[in-house]
Amino acid sequence: MQFDPAFALSTAPTILGAIGMTLLVAAVSCLGASAIGFGFELVRRSGGVGGLFIGFVIDFIRATPVLVWLYCLYFILPFYGIRLGALTTGMIGLSLYYSGYLAEVFKAGIDAIPNGQAEAAKALGLGRIDATIFVVAPQMLRNIAAPMGNYFVSILKATPYLAVLAVPEMLGRAFDIASDTYRYAEPLMVAGLIFLGLALLISQVIKRLEVRLLGPTGR
């Protein structure tokens, strides 16, 4: 079966019709993963039993496949009386999963800040958490812009996992077309090109943000 460019073009509107859902899932999951990951890192840095527990949680998240989280949230939680919609489950699952990786990014970014900054904040009377949020975090952002951008692209590329929950994102639409027509090459190629365009767009936005954070003199 030869690749049919005309058929490929005809599938584009249907696949693009799901781009809003894909971007919504990716955007909410990026924000959720960043917030949870930063919170995880703050608790881990506080030390004590809580810090050790969160360190274990981060390692556990990074050692398990994302599909395990999605299946557990969607199919196991109802046995305990917690029922979530497919879209909500998908966004929570991706946020939790990537929070473990982003916690490591935040850790590297904070560790790169000279100790003198934290000591100066302490001399001003700020506690550890306040010093991290108001003194260290703003300087940390320029160190982690690039790796965070990479994980944001990874989250975008992970949205097709939500097809297992029947969330109507782009790759799910492409498979629907393929199942109806028995032609897989064209819709999957179109979906892949759209994902490529979105990934390149996010990369450019992150590069511009990184340049602005570094300023005209660079690092």
Side-chain angles (χ1 to χ4, degrees):
M1 183 178 294
Q2 293 185 339
F3 187 87
D4 185 347
F7 178 66
L9 286 175
S10 71
T11 66
T14 301
I15 297 173
L16 282 171
I19 194 172
M21 178 63 72
T22 296
L23 291 176
L24 172 66
V25 171
V28 173
S29 299
C30 287
L31 291 174
S34 300
I36 297 171
F38 190 59
F40 277 173
E41 180 53 23
L42 290 182
V43 176
R44 181 166 60 176
R45 300 184 82 83
S46 68
V49 177
L52 289 174
F53 175 73
I54 291 299
F56 169 77
V57 170
I58 291 171
D59 291 339
F60 179 75
I61 289 173
R62 297 171 62 211
T64 50
V66 63
L67 280 178
V68 171
W69 286 85
L70 295 177
Y71 276 116
C72 287
L73 289 171
Y74 195 65
F75 294 109
I76 296 179
L77 282 185
F79 287 104
Y80 298 94
I82 302 175
R83 296 183 181 278
L84 302 173
L87 178 59
T88 302
T89 299
M91 292 189 293
I92 292 176
L94 292 182
S95 297
L96 284 173
Y97 182 72
Y98 281 96
S99 68
Y101 292 92
L102 287 174
E104 293 299 309
V105 173
F106 289 125
K107 178 180 184 299
I110 293 174
D111 288 344
I113 303 298
N115 290 332
Q117 296 291 325
E119 293 172 357
K122 184 178 179 181
L124 292 174
L126 295 178
R128 179 180 296 179
I129 300 298
D130 287 339
T132 301
I133 294 175
F134 298 111
V135 178
V136 176
Q139 301 179 68
M140 172 193 67
L141 287 177
R142 61 184 176 187
N143 294 330
I144 64 173
M148 282 193 72
N150 290 336
Y151 279 113
F152 287 168
V153 172
S154 295
I155 291 173
L156 171 70
K157 293 190 295 183
T159 56
Y161 282 118
L162 272 59
V164 300
L165 308 179
V167 173
E169 48 72 49
M170 287 197 299
L171 195 63
R173 289 283 180 86
F175 274 115
D176 289 342
I177 296 171
S179 299
D180 292 339
T181 62
Y182 298 102
R183 298 189 69 97
Y184 285 82
E186 292 88 349
L188 294 182
M189 178 66 75
V190 170
L193 289 174
I194 296 172
F195 271 104
L196 173 63
L198 292 175
L200 292 175
L201 178 62
I202 293 175
S203 297
Q204 288 301 314
V205 171
I206 294 298
K207 284 181 180 178
R208 289 179 179 274
L209 176 62
E210 189 177 11
V211 170
R212 289 177 64 89
L213 290 171
L214 290 174
T217 58
R219 292 178 185 279

Coordinates of all heavy atoms in Angstrom, one line a residue, residues 41-84:
E41 N 10.8 19.0 46.3 CA 12.1 19.4 46.6 C 12.3 20.2 47.8 O 13.2 20.0 48.6 CB 12.8 20.1 45.4 CG 14.2 20.5 45.6 CD 15.1 19.4 45.9 OE1 14.8 18.2 45.7 OE2 16.2 19.6 46.5
L42 N 11.3 21.1 48.1 CA 11.3 21.9 49.3 C 11.2 21.0 50.5 O 12.0 21.2 51.5 CB 10.2 22.9 49.3 CG 10.3 24.1 48.3 CD1 9.2 25.0 48.5 CD2 11.7 24.8 48.5
V43 N 10.3 20.0 50.5 CA 10.1 19.1 51.6 C 11.4 18.2 51.8 O 11.9 18.0 52.9 CB 8.9 18.2 51.4 CG1 8.8 17.2 52.6 CG2 7.6 19.1 51.4
R44 N 11.9 17.7 50.6 CA 13.1 16.9 50.7 C 14.3 17.6 51.3 O 15.1 17.1 52.1 CB 13.5 16.4 49.3 CG 14.8 15.5 49.4 CD 14.9 14.7 48.1 NE 15.1 15.5 46.9 CZ 15.3 15.1 45.7 NH1 15.4 13.7 45.5 NH2 15.5 15.9 44.7
R45 N 14.4 18.9 51.0 CA 15.6 19.7 51.5 C 15.4 20.1 53.0 O 16.3 20.5 53.7 CB 15.7 21.0 50.7 CG 16.0 20.8 49.3 CD 16.3 22.1 48.5 NE 17.7 22.5 48.7 CZ 18.7 22.1 48.0 NH1 18.5 21.2 47.1 NH2 19.9 22.5 48.2
S46 N 14.1 20.0 53.5 CA 13.8 20.3 54.9 C 14.4 19.2 55.8 O 14.6 19.4 57.0 CB 12.3 20.5 55.1 OG 11.7 19.2 55.0
G47 N 14.7 18.0 55.2 CA 15.3 16.9 56.0 C 14.3 16.2 56.9 O 13.1 16.4 56.7
G48 N 14.8 15.5 57.9 CA 13.9 14.8 58.8 C 13.2 13.6 58.1 O 13.5 13.2 57.0
V49 N 12.2 13.1 58.8 CA 11.4 11.9 58.3 C 10.7 12.3 57.0 O 10.6 11.5 56.1 CB 10.5 11.4 59.4 CG1 9.6 10.2 58.8 CG2 11.2 10.9 60.6
G50 N 10.1 13.5 57.0 CA 9.3 13.9 55.8 C 10.2 14.0 54.6 O 9.8 13.6 53.5
G51 N 11.4 14.5 54.8 CA 12.4 14.7 53.7 C 12.8 13.3 53.2 O 12.9 13.1 51.9
L52 N 13.0 12.4 54.1 CA 13.4 11.0 53.6 C 12.3 10.3 52.9 O 12.5 9.6 51.9 CB 13.8 10.2 54.9 CG 15.1 10.5 55.5 CD1 15.3 9.7 56.8 CD2 16.3 10.3 54.6
F53 N 11.0 10.5 53.4 CA 9.9 9.9 52.8 C 9.7 10.5 51.3 O 9.4 9.7 50.4 CB 8.6 10.2 53.6 CG 7.3 9.7 53.0 CD1 7.1 8.3 52.9 CD2 6.4 10.6 52.4 CE1 5.9 7.9 52.2 CE2 5.3 10.1 51.8 CZ 5.0 8.8 51.7
I54 N 9.8 11.8 51.2 CA 9.6 12.4 49.9 C 10.7 11.9 48.9 O 10.5 11.7 47.7 CB 9.6 13.9 50.0 CG1 8.3 14.4 50.7 CG2 9.6 14.6 48.6 CD1 7.0 14.0 50.0
G55 N 11.9 11.8 49.5 CA 13.0 11.3 48.6 C 12.7 9.9 48.1 O 13.0 9.6 46.9
F56 N 12.1 9.0 49.0 CA 11.6 7.7 48.5 C 10.6 7.8 47.5 O 10.6 7.1 46.5 CB 11.1 6.9 49.7 CG 10.4 5.6 49.3 CD1 11.2 4.5 48.9 CD2 9.0 5.6 49.3 CE1 10.5 3.3 48.5 CE2 8.4 4.4 49.0 CZ 9.1 3.3 48.6
V57 N 9.6 8.7 47.7 CA 8.5 8.9 46.7 C 9.1 9.3 45.4 O 8.6 8.8 44.3 CB 7.5 10.0 47.2 CG1 6.5 10.3 46.1 CG2 6.8 9.5 48.5
I58 N 10.0 10.2 45.4 CA 10.6 10.7 44.1 C 11.3 9.5 43.4 O 11.1 9.3 42.2 CB 11.6 11.8 44.3 CG1 10.9 13.1 44.8 CG2 12.4 12.1 43.1 CD1 11.8 14.2 45.3
D59 N 12.1 8.7 44.1 CA 12.7 7.6 43.5 C 11.7 6.6 43.0 O 11.9 6.0 41.9 CB 13.6 6.9 44.5 CG 14.8 7.8 44.8 OD1 15.2 8.6 44.0 OD2 15.4 7.5 45.9
F60 N 10.6 6.4 43.7 CA 9.6 5.4 43.3 C 8.9 5.9 42.0 O 8.7 5.1 41.1 CB 8.5 5.3 44.4 CG 7.4 4.4 44.1 CD1 7.6 3.0 44.1 CD2 6.1 4.8 43.8 CE1 6.6 2.1 43.8 CE2 5.1 4.0 43.5 CZ 5.3 2.6 43.5
I61 N 8.6 7.2 42.0 CA 8.0 7.7 40.8 C 8.9 7.5 39.5 O 8.4 7.1 38.5 CB 7.7 9.2 40.9 CG1 6.5 9.4 41.9 CG2 7.3 9.9 39.6 CD1 6.3 10.9 42.3
R62 N 10.1 7.8 39.7 CA 11.1 7.7 38.6 C 11.3 6.3 38.1 O 11.8 6.0 37.0 CB 12.4 8.4 38.9 CG 12.2 9.9 39.2 CD 13.5 10.5 39.7 NE 14.6 10.4 38.8 CZ 15.8 10.3 39.1 NH1 16.2 10.2 40.4 NH2 16.8 10.2 38.2
A63 N 11.0 5.3 39.0 CA 11.3 3.9 38.7 C 10.1 3.2 38.2 O 10.2 2.0 37.8 CB 11.8 3.2 40.0
T64 N 9.0 3.8 38.1 CA 7.8 3.2 37.6 C 7.3 3.8 36.2 O 7.5 5.0 36.0 CB 6.6 3.3 38.6 OG1 6.5 4.7 39.0 CG2 6.9 2.5 39.8
P65 N 6.7 3.0 35.4 CA 6.3 3.5 34.1 C 5.0 4.4 34.2 O 4.3 4.2 35.2 CB 5.9 2.2 33.3 CG 6.6 1.1 34.0 CD 6.6 1.5 35.4
V66 N 4.9 5.4 33.3 CA 3.8 6.3 33.4 C 2.4 5.6 33.3 O 1.4 6.0 33.9 CB 3.9 7.4 32.4 CG1 3.9 6.8 31.0 CG2 2.8 8.5 32.6
L67 N 2.4 4.5 32.5 CA 1.1 3.8 32.3 C 0.7 3.1 33.6 O -0.5 3.0 33.9 CB 1.3 2.7 31.3 CG 1.2 3.2 29.8 CD1 1.4 2.0 28.8 CD2 -0.1 3.8 29.5
V68 N 1.6 2.7 34.5 CA 1.2 2.2 35.8 C 0.4 3.2 36.6 O -0.6 2.9 37.2 CB 2.5 1.7 36.6 CG1 2.1 1.4 38.0 CG2 3.1 0.6 35.9
W69 N 0.9 4.5 36.6 CA 0.2 5.5 37.3 C -1.2 5.8 36.7 O -2.1 5.9 37.5 CB 1.1 6.8 37.3 CG 2.2 6.8 38.2 CD1 3.5 6.2 37.8 CD2 2.3 7.2 39.5 NE1 4.3 6.3 38.9 CE2 3.6 6.8 40.0 CE3 1.4 7.7 40.4 CZ2 4.0 7.1 41.3 CZ3 1.8 8.0 41.7 CH2 3.1 7.7 42.1
L70 N -1.3 5.8 35.4 CA -2.6 6.1 34.8 C -3.6 5.0 35.1 O -4.7 5.2 35.4 CB -2.4 6.2 33.3 CG -1.6 7.5 32.8 CD1 -1.4 7.5 31.3 CD2 -2.2 8.8 33.3
Y71 N -3.1 3.7 35.0 CA -4.0 2.6 35.3 C -4.4 2.5 36.7 O -5.6 2.3 37.0 CB -3.3 1.3 34.9 CG -3.4 0.9 33.4 CD1 -2.3 0.8 32.6 CD2 -4.7 0.6 32.9 CE1 -2.4 0.5 31.3 CE2 -4.8 0.3 31.5 CZ -3.7 0.2 30.7 OH -3.8 -0.1 29.4
C72 N -3.5 2.8 37.6 CA -3.8 2.8 39.1 C -4.8 3.9 39.4 O -5.8 3.6 40.1 CB -2.5 3.0 39.9 SG -1.4 1.6 40.0
L73 N -4.6 5.1 38.9 CA -5.5 6.2 39.2 C -6.9 5.9 38.6 O -7.9 6.3 39.2 CB -5.0 7.5 38.6 CG -3.7 8.1 39.3 CD1 -3.2 9.3 38.5 CD2 -4.1 8.5 40.7
Y74 N -7.0 5.3 37.4 CA -8.2 5.2 36.7 C -9.0 3.9 37.0 O -10.2 3.9 37.1 CB -8.0 5.3 35.2 CG -9.3 5.5 34.4 CD1 -10.0 6.7 34.5 CD2 -9.8 4.6 33.5 CE1 -11.1 7.0 33.8 CE2 -10.9 4.8 32.8 CZ -11.6 6.0 33.0 OH -12.8 6.3 32.2
F75 N -8.3 2.8 37.3 CA -8.9 1.6 37.4 C -8.9 1.0 38.9 O -9.7 0.2 39.2 CB -8.3 0.5 36.5 CG -8.5 0.8 35.0 CD1 -7.4 1.2 34.3 CD2 -9.7 0.7 34.5 CE1 -7.6 1.5 32.9 CE2 -9.9 1.0 33.1 CZ -8.9 1.4 32.3
I76 N -7.9 1.5 39.7 CA -7.8 0.9 41.0 C -8.5 1.8 42.1 O -9.1 1.4 43.0 CB -6.3 0.7 41.4 CG1 -5.8 -0.4 40.5 CG2 -6.2 0.2 42.8 CD1 -4.3 -0.8 40.7
L77 N -8.3 3.2 41.9 CA -8.9 4.1 42.9 C -10.4 3.9 43.1 O -10.9 4.0 44.2 CB -8.6 5.5 42.5 CG -7.2 6.1 42.8 CD1 -7.1 7.5 42.5 CD2 -6.8 5.8 44.3
P78 N -11.2 3.6 42.0 CA -12.6 3.4 42.2 C -12.9 2.3 43.2 O -14.0 2.3 43.8 CB -13.1 3.0 40.8 CG -12.2 3.7 39.9 CD -10.8 3.6 40.5
F79 N -12.0 1.3 43.4 CA -12.3 0.3 44.4 C -12.3 0.8 45.8 O -12.7 0.2 46.7 CB -11.2 -0.8 44.2 CG -11.4 -1.7 43.0 CD1 -10.6 -1.6 41.9 CD2 -12.5 -2.7 43.0 CE1 -10.8 -2.4 40.8 CE2 -12.7 -3.5 41.9 CZ -11.8 -3.3 40.8
Y80 N -11.6 2.0 45.9 CA -11.5 2.7 47.2 C -12.5 3.9 47.3 O -12.3 4.8 48.2 CB -10.1 3.1 47.5 CG -9.2 1.9 47.6 CD1 -8.5 1.5 46.4 CD2 -9.0 1.2 48.7 CE1 -7.6 0.5 46.5 CE2 -8.1 0.1 48.8 CZ -7.5 -0.3 47.6 OH -6.6 -1.4 47.6
G81 N -13.4 3.9 46.4 CA -14.5 5.0 46.4 C -14.1 6.3 45.8 O -14.8 7.3 45.9
I82 N -12.9 6.3 45.1 CA -12.5 7.6 44.4 C -12.6 7.4 42.9 O -11.9 6.6 42.3 CB -11.0 7.9 44.8 CG1 -10.9 8.0 46.3 CG2 -10.5 9.2 44.1 CD1 -9.4 8.2 46.8
R83 N -13.5 8.1 42.3 CA -13.7 8.0 40.9 C -13.4 9.3 40.2 O -13.9 10.4 40.6 CB -15.2 7.6 40.6 CG -15.6 6.3 41.1 CD -17.0 5.9 40.7 NE -17.4 4.6 41.3 CZ -17.1 3.5 40.7 NH1 -16.4 3.5 39.5 NH2 -17.4 2.3 41.2
L84 N -12.4 9.3 39.3 CA -12.0 10.5 38.6 C -12.4 10.3 37.1 O -12.3 9.2 36.6 CB -10.5 10.7 38.7 CG -10.0 10.8 40.1 CD1 -8.4 10.9 40.1 CD2 -10.5 12.1 40.8

